[in-house]
Amino acid sequence: MMNAHFGKPGVQRLALASAVLVLTGCSSLPSKQHAPDEEPVVMGSAPRRNHTPNEAAFACMTNGIKQKNKPLIGVAVGDVKDYTGRYSSTEGSTITQGGALMVYSALGKLGGTVLIQERFDTRIAELELAYTEKRQLGDGRTHTVEAGKPAVPWIPYFGGSIIKSNYYIVGGITELNYNIASSGFEVAVNSAGIKRRTYTMNIGVDLRIVDTRSLLVAKTVSLQKQIIGQEVGAGVYRFFGSDLVDINVGNKNQEPLQMGVRTTIEQGVIELLAAIAEVDPNECLNPVAVASAPGAVVVAPVAKPNGNGAVTSVATPLVVGDVTQSALVPQNSGQASANAVQQLVFEFGSSAISGAAMSAVEKIVNDVAQGPPVTFQLVARDTELWPPLQRRELTNQRVKVTMDALAAKGIAASRIGVTWMPEPTDTSITRLGAGYQLVATLVVGK
């Protein structure tokens, strides 16, 4: 955000110069002219798949269901409404009205292990069935209805073409709580100051899966997720003689609210289907537990003597089962800050790798080429004071992003493991130098 107001002639030249610079910066968005007689339009990023932090959990669940070798489960979706009642006269509904659509998409991520059946919007199917009943629906061909009689242009229908479902999922988004926790500061001296604020809100989702034939509820889930955001700013509001200078600059960002709803619904779908398919969902939803699932690669610490005669912990890949896949494996048997040669620094509340952190990734890749194992640290600002579960989720996201960045450089994910991260119930932070805290310790093995 930026707001500026200048008084009379004393600072008009400064105002004009500042305005030119600001407007120049605002016009730097990429644009494209599609036709000679049209104005250029701003072109943003290309569409992509809507990935969430649950992608690995879906892959794990798909594998678990396939191993059961059971017939496909027919699942339909009913209404998944917004029950929060939050509505703005200027912006409309605060929470997405597409909860059922998110459930359908989540079922589609289970790799064909469930039979997804349409029950949410059957208007077209019902209309065509009505046309069929009236002998009005055709497919451009003729059909023989009775032997010895002329073929007819309409499609005959003898019933039974619609496959019954075994279960259906219904529920809703039931909570939206603003500012359940916030912190920050604001300092001003002589009408010039700075401010910084962090805030947390949360959403809640309640889902259930119902046996279609008996209408017995087979499983219910009630989940919540916290959404984090931050705001920083600086400003000056002063008179210089007869001239008024009013300048405000700042930045505000927040985790996408609707993405939080989608992620929570996805976890609910995983838990519901796990109950029906008799698969343990904790092995897939908890990245730590995934390591012990069949087919995971566990990076297990192995005691080795160092040059001083002491024993240190070195992570060594250990394959479990027949399939090799990457997994986040905090063992917490090594030191939190043991001999890390590189540090990847993450910005406040972010899981994105910055330019400086990417340089550290390049250095890690070079060190690996010289001969593993290579230990390194993920680091964040010590002003991050999240609740333990929220911190755990952010840490898992940062670990995954780091593993993806290394995999993009040619280091197999199966070689990367986590040797330390805070326990889910740990409320303390591990300080690491002035202004920083340790997020996790990783190692690249052989």
Side-chain angles (χ1 to χ4, degrees), residues 418-435:
V418 181
T419 57
W420 180 89
M421 69 167 62
E423 296 291 347
T425 57
D426 187 2
T427 58
S428 64
I429 66 172
T430 303
R431 296 191 180 276
L432 193 68

Side-chain angles (χ1 to χ4, degrees), residues 111-178:
T113 55
V114 297
L115 192 63
I116 307 174
Q117 293 164 305
E118 179 61 61
R119 297 294 186 271
F120 183 67
D121 187 351
T122 59
R123 289 173 295 179
I124 299 299
E126 290 174 355
L127 182 60
E128 294 211 352
L129 283 174
Y131 285 152
T132 302
E133 185 180 1
K134 296 177 182 178
R135 299 182 177 182
Q136 295 175 333
L137 192 67
D139 58 3
R141 299 179 297 172
T142 58
H143 302 269
T144 300
V145 178
E146 296 184 34
K149 292 188 177 182
V152 297
W154 39 267
I155 299 174
Y157 181 67
F158 302 103
S161 62
I162 300 175
I163 306 300
K164 79 176 187 70
S165 64
N166 302 113
Y167 297 91
Y168 64 91
I169 297 175
V170 287
I173 301 103
T174 51
E175 292 186 48
L176 175 58
N177 304 306
Y178 291 110

Side-chain angles (χ1 to χ4, degrees), residues 153-303:
W154 39 267
I155 299 174
Y157 181 67
F158 302 103
S161 62
I162 300 175
I163 306 300
K164 79 176 187 70
S165 64
N166 302 113
Y167 297 91
Y168 64 91
I169 297 175
V170 287
I173 301 103
T174 51
E175 292 186 48
L176 175 58
N177 304 306
Y178 291 110
N179 203 16
I180 61 174
S182 63
S183 62
F185 65 87
E186 184 170 353
V187 180
V189 178
N190 293 330
S191 299
I194 58 175
K195 66 178 179 180
R196 179 170 186 168
R197 183 171 73 98
T198 62
Y199 50 92
T200 304
M201 59 190 295
N202 80 331
I203 56 97
V205 171
D206 291 88
L207 299 174
R208 62 191 183 276
I209 188 165
V210 183
D211 187 307
T212 305
R213 187 168 183 176
S214 67
L215 294 185
L216 292 175
V217 177
K219 173 72 175 177
T220 65
V221 292
S222 181
L223 303 170
Q224 73 89 34
K225 175 175 170 35
Q226 294 188 348
I227 310 294
I228 58 176
Q230 71 168 347
E231 181 179 7
V232 295
V236 58
Y237 183 89
R238 297 189 62 182
F239 281 96
F240 292 91
S242 60
D243 298 316
L244 169 64
V245 177
D246 182 8
I247 301 176
N248 294 280
V249 295
N251 181 55
K252 181 178 180 180
N253 52 56
Q254 175 185 299
E255 181 182 359
L257 175 60
Q258 313 307 345
M259 177 61 75
V261 174
R262 180 185 296 276
T263 304
T264 309
I265 286 178
E266 286 184 346
Q267 178 165 332
V269 170
I270 290 174
E271 293 190 25
L272 294 178
L273 266 295
I276 299 303
E278 299 179 346
V279 176
D280 183 4
N282 293 323
E283 293 184 354
C284 299
L285 291 172
N286 186 350
V288 178
V290 171
S292 61
V297 174
V298 179
V299 183
V302 178

